[in-house]
Every structure is written in C-alpha cells, then in structure tokens.
Amino acid sequence: MSSTVNAAPERGTEAPVRPRPRRITELLLLLVALAIGVGANILVDPERAQADPRHIIMSGTVLGVGALLVHVVLWIRARYADPYLLPLAVALNGLGLAMIHRIDLSTNQSAANTQVVWTGVAMLACCVVLWLLKDHRRLRNVTYIMLLLSAVLLLLPMIPGLGVEINGARLWISVAGRTFQPGEIAKITLAIFFAGYLSTNRDLILLAGRKIGPVRLPRFRDIAPMLAAWVIAIGVLVLQKDMGTAIMFFGLFLAMVYLATGRLGWIVLGVLLMAVGGFAASRMFSHVALRLDAWLDAFNPDVYNRSPGGSAQIVQGLFGLASGGLFGQGLGQGRPDLVSYSNSDMIITAFGEELGLIGLGAILVMFLLFATRGLRAALGTRDAFGKLLAAGLSSLMVLQLLVVIGGVTRLLPLTGLTTPFMSAGGSSLLSNWIIVAILLAISHSARRPVVTGPATDEDLATFERRLRAREERRDDERTRTDGADAAPGREPATEPTPSLSRTTSVSHDAAASPGAAESASATEAISRITHRSSGFAGYGATRASRSDRTGGDAASSSGERGASGGNAHDQEGGTR
C-alpha cells in the first residue's frame, strides 16, 4: 500500500504515516522459513542425517546464503518490497529440497544434489534481476523484443542437434550435457509482452470495434499482435507434444485479457475455445487421446496396464494420497517410490502421503499467500503495466498449481506440469525465482512513499522547456492544417515570479528511475495539477491534495493524447 509523505505539511494538519520498509520482519520470517526447510530435511531420516550430514549442511547453506543475499539486495535496491514474498518462496523451496532428498533415499537417485545447485543459481538470478530492475516500467520499453524472445525460446527445442526428446515430448535443449526447458522462461517473456501490449492498447480493445447487442467486439488489427503471439506459442507447443504448457499459456492469455478489460465474456469464450480445441486435439493427436482415456477410465485394468499412456501413475498417486489420511504417515515413512516421477510431476502426492491432508493444506495455504501478496502488489502500483504484469504472474502461479493439483487428484487430465518451487527441475525453479524478483520490484514501487517538496530551478526549467515544445508542436499542426507557408509562433511562457509558492509533488517512481525523469519528473506533476489549455496560470497557489493530484493526472493524460498523438500511456505510473 502506498502512502504520501509531505515535506512541509500545512498548519493544523497531520503528516501521513510513512510506510515502514519491514525488512526486519522479513529477516525474522526468513529464519522461520529456513527452520522449516532444514528441519524437514533432517526429519526425513534423522539417523542418516546424524551419520552423514553433508547433504543437510550443503542444502541448508545454499538456501540460507541465497536467502540472505536476496535480503541484502532488497535492503539496498528495494527497501519497501513486500516482506512476505521472499520467506514464502524460501519455505516452499526448502520443503521441495527435503522431499526430493527423501525420494532419493528410497530410489537411489541423486536429484537432490542437482536441485541444490539449481537453487543457488536461481536465487543468484533473483538477485541479479532485482539489482538491474530498479524500475519495472522499463520492461514496457521492450514489449516487442519480449515477443521475439518468446518465439526464439519456444523454437529452440525444434533445432536439430540442440533439442532433445524426453518421454515423447520435445521440450528441452541440451548444453554441455545439461538439459534446460526454454518454455519456462518463455512464460515470463510472454507475460511481459501481454502486459505491455494490453496497457498500451487497452482503450482501443475496449472502445473501438463493432458492437453486436451488448457485446463490443474489438477490431482485428487491435488484437492481432497478441492473438498471433498466442497462436504461435500454442502451435509450437502442440508440435512439441506438450499440452500442459499449452494449457498454461492459454490460461495466461485469458487471465491477462480479462484483467485488462474486466469483461467476463472473454473467460466464457476462452472456455468454449478450450473445449473445442481439446476435442480436436483428442482426434488429431494420439498422445492427447491416451491421456484423456487414462483420466476418464483410470481404474480399468486394460487402461491401467497400458504402456505407454496407462493410468498407473494416476492411480498410484491417488492411493498414496488416501493412505496419508488426515495427519499423514510422517516424513520418511511413506512409499512415494511406488509412484513414477514422484519427485517432479507427482511430488504433491508424496507430500499428501507423508504429511496428510493437514500438511498438504498448509502447503496450499502458503501458495495462496504468495499469490495474494502478488495481487496486493498489483493493486498498490500506480501504472497499468505494473498492475497487469504483477497480476498476470500471480495468476500464472495459481493456474499452474491448479493444473497440477487437478491432475494428481483426477479432477483434470494429468499434464506433466511441475509444482512451483518444489518439483525437481532446474528450469522451473529458475523461472519461479525470476517471477519472485519481478513481484518484489513491483511491490517496492507500490509501497514506496511519495515525497513532496519545493520545485527546484532545474524542475522549473524542464517544465518551461516541455511547455515551449508543446506550444511549438501546436503551432506546427495549426500551420499544416491551414496550409500556410509560415505562421508566427507563440511567445514562450515566462518563468513564474519568485514570489509564487513553488511546491510540487515528486512521484516515487520518477525519483527512483533516472531514466524516466523526462516523463515522470517533478515538473510533470506541476503540469498535471495546474496545466490547462493556457499554461500554468495560478500555478503554486495552493498545495494540491491527493484527490486533486488524481484529477490533474487524468486531465493531463487527456491533454497529452491531443498533443502527442495518443501517447498517454507513457505517463502512467507518474505522480498521482
């Protein structure tokens, strides 16, 4: 939640409360999260942990040092970031490490050691993103670059010699003997593209187009780039035989369109298209038909014993959840080794068996808290791009968890998606920690206080320059319209006398983003509050209240559209 801090409050009024950074709260919660993760790792096999504690020490050190490093970066670069996102991610990651280690003990694998390495890499990537992404609005400048990058990432597994096929799906690339799934990063780049495009063209999608009854259909040219991005992504994933990621991308597309427009018709249309697409895929692709058959008739002996495409994995997972009951068998006391891919696709069934319904419910509550904190950041930030990006990434996390839980409980067909932060898989873990970094950056922008104070001479000079340029553009437009060879220009506005009260409010986004100083500087706030058609007569007469600033922002945005050809979206996120 954002607040406004006045440098010199008027007499008789109380200054608003300055929001606290809450980094100490985050540090205390991090200690609790580390205790949960390391404690679960010890309880998996206490005797082995006492005889050979190397894995416990290594995993605890990587998780603890990584969490402390992210915490320090937040102190330096994003002091007002949400204090709960990082501890929740650390706790979920720690529980995932513990369960993967527990499954390794019963299957003689070494996936836990690889997951520890990926945890360190992912948390380091989170620090890098936080350090470089001082202002999340800079991502809007690379909207179409993100679209191109998404296409490249999705096409990489199709390149001969680089892409590899595992279990019938061609989703991975192999580099130096290590596999990586580029589609996990593509979901982030697509979310950035959707947020940038929708924040820029939202009004055209909503208002332009033909109205049929109560429904207004957008023009094809307004929605074509976004629709093309979705069609390309879904087409590539269908060719790669990855229906789970295709469903996730389709859900991301629908969620962000609904968040931008607020029209329930998009959801209804999307569900209908999904049903039609699923029916067509079941007739065209044999692997889709086998998965639907395993879902609908899982307990049929013929379907259960079929290979490939049998339902043994689903049925064994259901039996594991049932044997866990309410309180679970206890960590290290179940039989998750009976379920294939229990450390990745089916790790939720392993938690349900050993922690029971109560433990699994606690894990789902942590995911719920993580998503709600992301939505809280979306509500608090002032620019439409940040709102859409934070809400889209939070919705993506919820959608992925819904598909996973629905698959292992036979509510939905099993898709093979991984549980965020918990399943074995480096590419998934890396993408999830990048999402954490972006949400932390947006929450810092949302909670950071707005500083107000007197305008400097440099602010006034910038305001004069922008006002003079606006007047010159208007004169040029008038000249072209009248067809005259030349037209006398208007006299530039003079600087206000020093006797006027020169008070302005500085957007916290502008203060934190030197690159955005031209579009969201202190002087831009003056123009939004006081500028009308004839300049800033009366500027500085009174100190604008918060509601006045909001109204000034809307009026200025309208004026900017008339002066600069509809570029009002460049002013989003400025002083309100």
Side-chain angles (χ1 to χ4, degrees), residues 175-200:
V175 179
R178 297 285 183 177
T179 58
F180 186 80
Q181 188 174 346
E184 290 288 341
I185 306 299
K187 67 183 182 183
I188 302 177
T189 57
L190 274 177
I192 295 173
F193 165 72
F194 287 148
Y197 186 82
L198 286 170
S199 63
T200 303

PDB file of all heavy atoms in Angstrom, residues 175-200:
ATOM      1  N   VAL A 175      22.791 -28.620 -23.377  1.00  0.00           N
ATOM      2  CA  VAL A 175      24.001 -27.820 -23.466  1.00  0.00           C
ATOM      3  C   VAL A 175      25.010 -28.379 -22.478  1.00  0.00           C
ATOM      4  O   VAL A 175      24.747 -28.402 -21.267  1.00  0.00           O
ATOM      5  CB  VAL A 175      23.733 -26.326 -23.172  1.00  0.00           C
ATOM      6  CG1 VAL A 175      25.019 -25.520 -23.258  1.00  0.00           C
ATOM      7  CG2 VAL A 175      22.680 -25.772 -24.124  1.00  0.00           C
ATOM      8  N   ALA A 176      26.124 -28.857 -22.986  1.00  0.00           N
ATOM      9  CA  ALA A 176      27.206 -29.407 -22.153  1.00  0.00           C
ATOM     10  C   ALA A 176      26.696 -30.533 -21.262  1.00  0.00           C
ATOM     11  O   ALA A 176      27.076 -30.655 -20.097  1.00  0.00           O
ATOM     12  CB  ALA A 176      27.844 -28.300 -21.306  1.00  0.00           C
ATOM     13  N   GLY A 177      25.808 -31.349 -21.808  1.00  0.00           N
ATOM     14  CA  GLY A 177      25.297 -32.482 -21.053  1.00  0.00           C
ATOM     15  C   GLY A 177      24.190 -32.139 -20.084  1.00  0.00           C
ATOM     16  O   GLY A 177      23.658 -33.039 -19.409  1.00  0.00           O
ATOM     17  N   ARG A 178      23.806 -30.869 -19.975  1.00  0.00           N
ATOM     18  CA  ARG A 178      22.729 -30.437 -19.080  1.00  0.00           C
ATOM     19  C   ARG A 178      21.512 -30.067 -19.917  1.00  0.00           C
ATOM     20  O   ARG A 178      21.626 -29.421 -20.967  1.00  0.00           O
ATOM     21  CB  ARG A 178      23.159 -29.237 -18.247  1.00  0.00           C
ATOM     22  CG  ARG A 178      24.315 -29.523 -17.303  1.00  0.00           C
ATOM     23  CD  ARG A 178      23.841 -30.322 -16.113  1.00  0.00           C
ATOM     24  NE  ARG A 178      24.909 -30.545 -15.156  1.00  0.00           N
ATOM     25  CZ  ARG A 178      24.740 -31.175 -13.999  1.00  0.00           C
ATOM     26  NH1 ARG A 178      23.533 -31.635 -13.678  1.00  0.00           N
ATOM     27  NH2 ARG A 178      25.754 -31.361 -13.175  1.00  0.00           N
ATOM     28  N   THR A 179      20.343 -30.468 -19.440  1.00  0.00           N
ATOM     29  CA  THR A 179      19.102 -30.149 -20.149  1.00  0.00           C
ATOM     30  C   THR A 179      18.434 -28.939 -19.524  1.00  0.00           C
ATOM     31  O   THR A 179      18.544 -28.694 -18.306  1.00  0.00           O
ATOM     32  CB  THR A 179      18.134 -31.339 -20.127  1.00  0.00           C
ATOM     33  OG1 THR A 179      17.846 -31.703 -18.767  1.00  0.00           O
ATOM     34  CG2 THR A 179      18.735 -32.527 -20.863  1.00  0.00           C
ATOM     35  N   PHE A 180      17.755 -28.176 -20.351  1.00  0.00           N
ATOM     36  CA  PHE A 180      17.056 -26.973 -19.910  1.00  0.00           C
ATOM     37  C   PHE A 180      15.793 -26.816 -20.735  1.00  0.00           C
ATOM     38  O   PHE A 180      15.784 -27.122 -21.935  1.00  0.00           O
ATOM     39  CB  PHE A 180      17.953 -25.740 -20.073  1.00  0.00           C
ATOM     40  CG  PHE A 180      17.362 -24.477 -19.510  1.00  0.00           C
ATOM     41  CD1 PHE A 180      17.423 -24.220 -18.151  1.00  0.00           C
ATOM     42  CD2 PHE A 180      16.738 -23.556 -20.344  1.00  0.00           C
ATOM     43  CE1 PHE A 180      16.884 -23.059 -17.634  1.00  0.00           C
ATOM     44  CE2 PHE A 180      16.194 -22.401 -19.839  1.00  0.00           C
ATOM     45  CZ  PHE A 180      16.261 -22.146 -18.474  1.00  0.00           C
ATOM     46  N   GLN A 181      14.729 -26.346 -20.101  1.00  0.00           N
ATOM     47  CA  GLN A 181      13.444 -26.181 -20.773  1.00  0.00           C
ATOM     48  C   GLN A 181      13.189 -24.697 -21.033  1.00  0.00           C
ATOM     49  O   GLN A 181      12.798 -23.959 -20.128  1.00  0.00           O
ATOM     50  CB  GLN A 181      12.318 -26.772 -19.919  1.00  0.00           C
ATOM     51  CG  GLN A 181      10.980 -26.810 -20.628  1.00  0.00           C
ATOM     52  CD  GLN A 181       9.925 -27.541 -19.809  1.00  0.00           C
ATOM     53  OE1 GLN A 181      10.250 -28.229 -18.846  1.00  0.00           O
ATOM     54  NE2 GLN A 181       8.674 -27.384 -20.187  1.00  0.00           N
ATOM     55  N   PRO A 182      13.407 -24.214 -22.254  1.00  0.00           N
ATOM     56  CA  PRO A 182      13.248 -22.777 -22.532  1.00  0.00           C
ATOM     57  C   PRO A 182      11.825 -22.274 -22.349  1.00  0.00           C
ATOM     58  O   PRO A 182      11.608 -21.085 -22.118  1.00  0.00           O
ATOM     59  CB  PRO A 182      13.694 -22.647 -23.999  1.00  0.00           C
ATOM     60  CG  PRO A 182      14.472 -23.876 -24.294  1.00  0.00           C
ATOM     61  CD  PRO A 182      13.868 -24.956 -23.444  1.00  0.00           C
ATOM     62  N   GLY A 183      10.826 -23.168 -22.461  1.00  0.00           N
ATOM     63  CA  GLY A 183       9.444 -22.735 -22.310  1.00  0.00           C
ATOM     64  C   GLY A 183       9.144 -22.153 -20.945  1.00  0.00           C
ATOM     65  O   GLY A 183       8.219 -21.344 -20.801  1.00  0.00           O
ATOM     66  N   GLU A 184       9.916 -22.540 -19.912  1.00  0.00           N
ATOM     67  CA  GLU A 184       9.705 -21.978 -18.582  1.00  0.00           C
ATOM     68  C   GLU A 184      10.036 -20.495 -18.549  1.00  0.00           C
ATOM     69  O   GLU A 184       9.394 -19.725 -17.833  1.00  0.00           O
ATOM     70  CB  GLU A 184      10.549 -22.744 -17.556  1.00  0.00           C
ATOM     71  CG  GLU A 184      10.081 -24.160 -17.288  1.00  0.00           C
ATOM     72  CD  GLU A 184       8.785 -24.201 -16.487  1.00  0.00           C
ATOM     73  OE1 GLU A 184       8.458 -23.184 -15.850  1.00  0.00           O
ATOM     74  OE2 GLU A 184       8.104 -25.235 -16.512  1.00  0.00           O
ATOM     75  N   ILE A 185      11.058 -20.093 -19.289  1.00  0.00           N
ATOM     76  CA  ILE A 185      11.390 -18.672 -19.367  1.00  0.00           C
ATOM     77  C   ILE A 185      10.432 -17.958 -20.314  1.00  0.00           C
ATOM     78  O   ILE A 185      10.112 -16.780 -20.118  1.00  0.00           O
ATOM     79  CB  ILE A 185      12.842 -18.488 -19.831  1.00  0.00           C
ATOM     80  CG1 ILE A 185      13.790 -19.286 -18.926  1.00  0.00           C
ATOM     81  CG2 ILE A 185      13.243 -17.027 -19.827  1.00  0.00           C
ATOM     82  CD1 ILE A 185      13.770 -18.864 -17.484  1.00  0.00           C
ATOM     83  N   ALA A 186       9.941 -18.675 -21.330  1.00  0.00           N
ATOM     84  CA  ALA A 186       9.038 -18.062 -22.297  1.00  0.00           C
ATOM     85  C   ALA A 186       7.734 -17.605 -21.649  1.00  0.00           C
ATOM     86  O   ALA A 186       7.123 -16.629 -22.098  1.00  0.00           O
ATOM     87  CB  ALA A 186       8.746 -19.041 -23.436  1.00  0.00           C
ATOM     88  N   LYS A 187       7.303 -18.295 -20.579  1.00  0.00           N
ATOM     89  CA  LYS A 187       6.057 -17.865 -19.935  1.00  0.00           C
ATOM     90  C   LYS A 187       6.225 -16.485 -19.286  1.00  0.00           C
ATOM     91  O   LYS A 187       5.261 -15.703 -19.224  1.00  0.00           O
ATOM     92  CB  LYS A 187       5.608 -18.902 -18.908  1.00  0.00           C
ATOM     93  CG  LYS A 187       6.502 -19.050 -17.703  1.00  0.00           C
ATOM     94  CD  LYS A 187       6.009 -20.164 -16.789  1.00  0.00           C
ATOM     95  CE  LYS A 187       6.866 -20.295 -15.539  1.00  0.00           C
ATOM     96  NZ  LYS A 187       6.437 -21.424 -14.686  1.00  0.00           N
ATOM     97  N   ILE A 188       7.432 -16.158 -18.845  1.00  0.00           N
ATOM     98  CA  ILE A 188       7.672 -14.835 -18.262  1.00  0.00           C
ATOM     99  C   ILE A 188       7.729 -13.778 -19.360  1.00  0.00           C
ATOM    100  O   ILE A 188       7.127 -12.702 -19.232  1.00  0.00           O
ATOM    101  CB  ILE A 188       8.975 -14.846 -17.440  1.00  0.00           C
ATOM    102  CG1 ILE A 188       8.908 -15.891 -16.335  1.00  0.00           C
ATOM    103  CG2 ILE A 188       9.241 -13.466 -16.843  1.00  0.00           C
ATOM    104  CD1 ILE A 188      10.183 -16.025 -15.532  1.00  0.00           C
ATOM    105  N   THR A 189       8.451 -14.067 -20.429  1.00  0.00           N
ATOM    106  CA  THR A 189       8.549 -13.090 -21.515  1.00  0.00           C
ATOM    107  C   THR A 189       7.197 -12.849 -22.179  1.00  0.00           C
ATOM    108  O   THR A 189       6.885 -11.716 -22.572  1.00  0.00           O
ATOM    109  CB  THR A 189       9.570 -13.570 -22.557  1.00  0.00           C
ATOM    110  OG1 THR A 189       9.192 -14.873 -23.040  1.00  0.00           O
ATOM    111  CG2 THR A 189      10.965 -13.668 -21.941  1.00  0.00           C
ATOM    112  N   LEU A 190       6.378 -13.889 -22.294  1.00  0.00           N
ATOM    113  CA  LEU A 190       5.034 -13.697 -22.844  1.00  0.00           C
ATOM    114  C   LEU A 190       4.174 -12.845 -21.910  1.00  0.00           C
ATOM    115  O   LEU A 190       3.379 -12.017 -22.367  1.00  0.00           O
ATOM    116  CB  LEU A 190       4.363 -15.050 -23.089  1.00  0.00           C
ATOM    117  CG  LEU A 190       4.660 -15.727 -24.429  1.00  0.00           C
ATOM    118  CD1 LEU A 190       3.980 -17.090 -24.489  1.00  0.00           C
ATOM    119  CD2 LEU A 190       4.211 -14.861 -25.599  1.00  0.00           C
ATOM    120  N   ALA A 191       4.310 -13.046 -20.598  1.00  0.00           N
ATOM    121  CA  ALA A 191       3.562 -12.232 -19.644  1.00  0.00           C
ATOM    122  C   ALA A 191       3.957 -10.761 -19.763  1.00  0.00           C
ATOM    123  O   ALA A 191       3.094  -9.870 -19.697  1.00  0.00           O
ATOM    124  CB  ALA A 191       3.798 -12.738 -18.224  1.00  0.00           C
ATOM    125  N   ILE A 192       5.248 -10.486 -19.954  1.00  0.00           N
ATOM    126  CA  ILE A 192       5.697  -9.103 -20.128  1.00  0.00           C
ATOM    127  C   ILE A 192       5.135  -8.522 -21.415  1.00  0.00           C
ATOM    128  O   ILE A 192       4.685  -7.359 -21.453  1.00  0.00           O
ATOM    129  CB  ILE A 192       7.230  -9.048 -20.117  1.00  0.00           C
ATOM    130  CG1 ILE A 192       7.773  -9.473 -18.744  1.00  0.00           C
ATOM    131  CG2 ILE A 192       7.729  -7.644 -20.455  1.00  0.00           C
ATOM    132  CD1 ILE A 192       9.273  -9.598 -18.687  1.00  0.00           C
ATOM    133  N   PHE A 193       5.133  -9.316 -22.487  1.00  0.00           N
ATOM    134  CA  PHE A 193       4.574  -8.816 -23.754  1.00  0.00           C
ATOM    135  C   PHE A 193       3.087  -8.523 -23.619  1.00  0.00           C
ATOM    136  O   PHE A 193       2.618  -7.457 -24.042  1.00  0.00           O
ATOM    137  CB  PHE A 193       4.801  -9.838 -24.866  1.00  0.00           C
ATOM    138  CG  PHE A 193       3.967  -9.576 -26.082  1.00  0.00           C
ATOM    139  CD1 PHE A 193       4.247  -8.515 -26.917  1.00  0.00           C
ATOM    140  CD2 PHE A 193       2.871 -10.381 -26.381  1.00  0.00           C
ATOM    141  CE1 PHE A 193       3.463  -8.248 -28.035  1.00  0.00           C
ATOM    142  CE2 PHE A 193       2.090 -10.131 -27.490  1.00  0.00           C
ATOM    143  CZ  PHE A 193       2.391  -9.065 -28.325  1.00  0.00           C
ATOM    144  N   PHE A 194       2.329  -9.456 -23.047  1.00  0.00           N
ATOM    145  CA  PHE A 194       0.897  -9.232 -22.887  1.00  0.00           C
ATOM    146  C   PHE A 194       0.626  -7.985 -22.046  1.00  0.00           C
ATOM    147  O   PHE A 194      -0.255  -7.182 -22.369  1.00  0.00           O
ATOM    148  CB  PHE A 194       0.239 -10.445 -22.240  1.00  0.00           C
ATOM    149  CG  PHE A 194       0.127 -11.637 -23.158  1.00  0.00           C
ATOM    150  CD1 PHE A 194       0.190 -12.929 -22.654  1.00  0.00           C
ATOM    151  CD2 PHE A 194      -0.038 -11.478 -24.507  1.00  0.00           C
ATOM    152  CE1 PHE A 194       0.092 -14.035 -23.483  1.00  0.00           C
ATOM    153  CE2 PHE A 194      -0.132 -12.572 -25.361  1.00  0.00           C
ATOM    154  CZ  PHE A 194      -0.067 -13.851 -24.846  1.00  0.00           C
ATOM    155  N   ALA A 195       1.385  -7.817 -20.950  1.00  0.00           N
ATOM    156  CA  ALA A 195       1.174  -6.656 -20.081  1.00  0.00           C
ATOM    157  C   ALA A 195       1.497  -5.365 -20.824  1.00  0.00           C
ATOM    158  O   ALA A 195       0.753  -4.377 -20.721  1.00  0.00           O
ATOM    159  CB  ALA A 195       2.029  -6.786 -18.825  1.00  0.00           C
ATOM    160  N   GLY A 196       2.603  -5.347 -21.564  1.00  0.00           N
ATOM    161  CA  GLY A 196       2.960  -4.138 -22.294  1.00  0.00           C
ATOM    162  C   GLY A 196       1.973  -3.802 -23.393  1.00  0.00           C
ATOM    163  O   GLY A 196       1.590  -2.639 -23.564  1.00  0.00           O
ATOM    164  N   TYR A 197       1.540  -4.810 -24.141  1.00  0.00           N
ATOM    165  CA  TYR A 197       0.622  -4.548 -25.248  1.00  0.00           C
ATOM    166  C   TYR A 197      -0.756  -4.131 -24.734  1.00  0.00           C
ATOM    167  O   TYR A 197      -1.360  -3.188 -25.256  1.00  0.00           O
ATOM    168  CB  TYR A 197       0.502  -5.783 -26.127  1.00  0.00           C
ATOM    169  CG  TYR A 197      -0.312  -5.546 -27.374  1.00  0.00           C
ATOM    170  CD1 TYR A 197       0.266  -4.963 -28.496  1.00  0.00           C
ATOM    171  CD2 TYR A 197      -1.663  -5.877 -27.429  1.00  0.00           C
ATOM    172  CE1 TYR A 197      -0.472  -4.718 -29.646  1.00  0.00           C
ATOM    173  CE2 TYR A 197      -2.408  -5.634 -28.564  1.00  0.00           C
ATOM    174  CZ  TYR A 197      -1.813  -5.056 -29.667  1.00  0.00           C
ATOM    175  OH  TYR A 197      -2.553  -4.807 -30.789  1.00  0.00           O
ATOM    176  N   LEU A 198      -1.252  -4.818 -23.715  1.00  0.00           N
ATOM    177  CA  LEU A 198      -2.587  -4.504 -23.213  1.00  0.00           C
ATOM    178  C   LEU A 198      -2.623  -3.152 -22.501  1.00  0.00           C
ATOM    179  O   LEU A 198      -3.619  -2.431 -22.597  1.00  0.00           O
ATOM    180  CB  LEU A 198      -3.051  -5.612 -22.259  1.00  0.00           C
ATOM    181  CG  LEU A 198      -3.448  -6.929 -22.932  1.00  0.00           C
ATOM    182  CD1 LEU A 198      -3.647  -8.020 -21.896  1.00  0.00           C
ATOM    183  CD2 LEU A 198      -4.707  -6.757 -23.760  1.00  0.00           C
ATOM    184  N   SER A 199      -1.566  -2.795 -21.780  1.00  0.00           N
ATOM    185  CA  SER A 199      -1.553  -1.494 -21.114  1.00  0.00           C
ATOM    186  C   SER A 199      -1.505  -0.354 -22.122  1.00  0.00           C
ATOM    187  O   SER A 199      -1.992   0.743 -21.844  1.00  0.00           O
ATOM    188  CB  SER A 199      -0.358  -1.403 -20.162  1.00  0.00           C
ATOM    189  OG  SER A 199       0.866  -1.497 -20.874  1.00  0.00           O
ATOM    190  N   THR A 200      -0.946  -0.603 -23.284  1.00  0.00           N
ATOM    191  CA  THR A 200      -0.858   0.429 -24.314  1.00  0.00           C
ATOM    192  C   THR A 200      -2.136   0.522 -25.150  1.00  0.00           C
ATOM    193  O   THR A 200      -2.579   1.624 -25.500  1.00  0.00           O
ATOM    194  CB  THR A 200       0.327   0.144 -25.255  1.00  0.00           C
ATOM    195  OG1 THR A 200       1.528   0.056 -24.484  1.00  0.00           O
ATOM    196  CG2 THR A 200       0.483   1.249 -26.287  1.00  0.00           C
TER     197      THR A 200
END
